Structure formats: structure tokens, C-alpha cells
Amino acid sequence: MTPYTMLHLALAGAFLVLALVHFVTWAAVRSQRVQLWLAESFLGFALISFTTGITSREASEMIADTRPWLLLGVLPSIPLPYTLLRVAWSLLDQPLTLWRRVMLGVALALGAVRVLDVSWSILTLPATGLTAEALSRATAGLSLPLFWLLATCVAGTWAVEAARLLNRRGAMAAAVLAASLCALALLCRAARHRRGLAPGASALRARGTLLPAVRLHRARDPHRSLAPRGGPGNRHPPLPPAHPARTRRHG
């Protein structure tokens, strides 16, 4: 089992514990609807992390048919944006106005488009060797960019609503704003990584490109690295004699 899989399984376990805690809190105090939205959100994150870990390219060899797990992992795409928006407005004590209801409807519709596209790809792609990475490439034309846009809009809504209510809601608005900025930063990093622009990816690509060239150069000229100091293969000046006075006296 690879570290990538272990990380996602650990995240899934942590999200599941948080979901259970919020479910129990909501069951004890039914008037706290925000606990229900938080529990459903963490449960969605747990499903996504778990299925991503076991359907990755490294871990999919242990599972004969990954299609049911891939379908399970995409199902939270419908309720997760809805519950996240409800969490933000509940924490900030904002009413469910008309434009907010419209936004919830759009979020549900885009999540449904994502689920339908993934379901169609799962049915049409070969069952053998189907991984989360292959599914992302297969759905990169329509639903995946729309869902990335939806995730950015949800995080941006958190940020705008919290910034607007900083004076009235104080610490709660500040906490919501901080969480939204972290989410936006993670989304930007993930988008850069997918395009190959992340610093880690650039560094690895540079090492993969330069190291073979250096080895080839050394193979062509093996004596260059063995040249003495001050020689043609070294830019450093030659070292002076250790005891110049003693050298002149014996000379």
C-alpha cells in the first residue's frame, strides 16, 4: 500500500469521526441545523477520500473491479456543494433568500451533471485498469471543469459572505473567511498541479530532464571531473605552496 493511499485512508477516517461527532451533536440538539450540514459535509469528504485512495493507479491493482468504488466516490458531488453552502449561511446566521435558493439549485444541477458524466464514462470505458486518474482524463471535457468551477464558486461564496459580515459577526466571520481562503489556496494548488505548474512538479521535471544530460556529459568526458585544481576542467585558481619561505631556502 502506497503512502498516497495511506494518506487518503487516514483522511477518510478523520472525516468520518468528525461526521459522527456532528451527527451525535445534532441528534442531541435538533435545533442546531448547522450540525447536520457539517455532518453531511464531512461524510461526503470521507467518501471522496476513501474512494480516491483505493482507486488510484498505485492501489487499484488490489481491486479487481474499481467501477463501483468510482461511482460511490462521485455520488457526493450532488449534496456536498449544497451542504457546504448551507454550513456557511448557517454559521453566519443568514436567511435563505431567493438568490441563495437559486444558487443552491445551480449547485445541485452541476453536481448531477458530474454524476451523470462519470456514470456514462464508467459504463463505456474498459473495466480492466480503470483508475481515478483515467476517469478524470475521460471526463475532462465537460463535467470536470464545471465541477472545479462550482467548487471555486462555493469557496468564493464563503469568502465574500464572511468578508461582508466581519463587523457584525466578528470571530465567526473571521473563522469562515480563514477556512474559505485555505480552500481557495488548495484549489489553486490542485489546479496548478494538474497543469504541471506546481513547484514540486516543476522541480521533479527539471531533475528528470537535467540529470540524464549531466550523466551523458560525464560519460563523454570522464576525465573532466578528475582534472587538478586550476586545470582546464576547473575554474578555481591553483593553491599556493604551503611554506613558500622553506621552499626558497631548500632551493
Side-chain angles (χ1 to χ4, degrees):
M1 190 172 292
T2 62
Y4 181 84
T5 303
M6 293 291 293
L7 174 62
H8 280 81
L9 293 181
L11 287 174
F15 289 142
L16 182 60
V17 170
L18 290 172
L20 292 176
V21 169
H22 287 291
F23 267 127
V24 171
T25 306
W26 172 74
V29 186
R30 293 297 182 93
S31 60
Q32 295 289 330
R33 297 283 294 180
V34 66
Q35 300 295 332
L36 178 60
W37 306 129
L38 283 168
E40 293 180 357
S41 299
F42 282 122
L43 183 60
F45 286 133
L47 285 175
I48 293 174
S49 298
F50 179 76
T51 55
T52 301
I54 65 174
T55 58
S56 62
R57 183 175 61 253
E58 295 83 1
S60 60
E61 298 177 357
M62 301 182 298
I63 303 175
D65 190 1
T66 58
R67 291 178 298 175
W69 297 107
L70 290 170
L71 183 59
L72 179 64
V74 78
L75 289 180
S77 301
I78 296 178
L80 190 55
Y82 179 93
T83 56
L84 287 174
L85 289 173
R86 294 302 301 265
V87 165
W89 293 327
S90 298
L91 290 175
L92 298 173
D93 289 334
Q94 295 302 297
L96 203 58
T97 58
L98 177 60
W99 75 268
R100 291 191 177 107
R101 293 178 186 273
V102 171
M103 191 170 184
L104 290 174
V106 172
L108 290 173
L110 292 180
V113 170
R114 174 65 179 162
V115 172
L116 290 175
D117 191 17
V118 170
S119 301
W120 176 254
S121 299
I122 289 175
L123 292 175
T124 55
L125 290 174
T128 57
L130 184 59
T131 62
E133 293 84 359
L135 188 60
S136 296
R137 291 191 296 268
T139 58
L142 174 64
S143 67
L144 188 59
L146 286 178
F147 196 75
W148 276 85
L149 178 62
L150 175 60
T152 305
C153 290
V154 170
T157 301
W158 275 52
V160 172
E161 294 278 23
R164 187 174 61 87
L165 298 171
L166 271 177
N167 293 332
R168 284 188 289 171
R169 296 295 298 163
M172 182 59 70
V176 172
L177 180 60
S180 65
L181 293 179
C182 291
L184 288 172
L186 290 175
L187 286 172
C188 291
R189 178 177 175 82
R192 291 178 61 196
H193 181 71
R194 288 183 61 85
R195 295 183 179 182
L197 299 177
S202 300
L204 290 176
R205 187 181 299 108
R207 289 184 60 184
T209 305
L210 292 177
L211 285 180
V214 172
R215 290 171 183 169
L216 179 62
H217 179 70
R218 289 181 178 177
R220 289 178 177 176
D221 192 3
H223 301 290
R224 184 176 180 84
S225 59
L226 302 177
R229 290 180 66 89
N234 202 312
R235 62 182 182 183
H236 296 284
L239 292 174
H243 302 286
R246 187 178 301 175
T247 303
R248 288 195 301 269
R249 183 168 56 251
H250 288 287

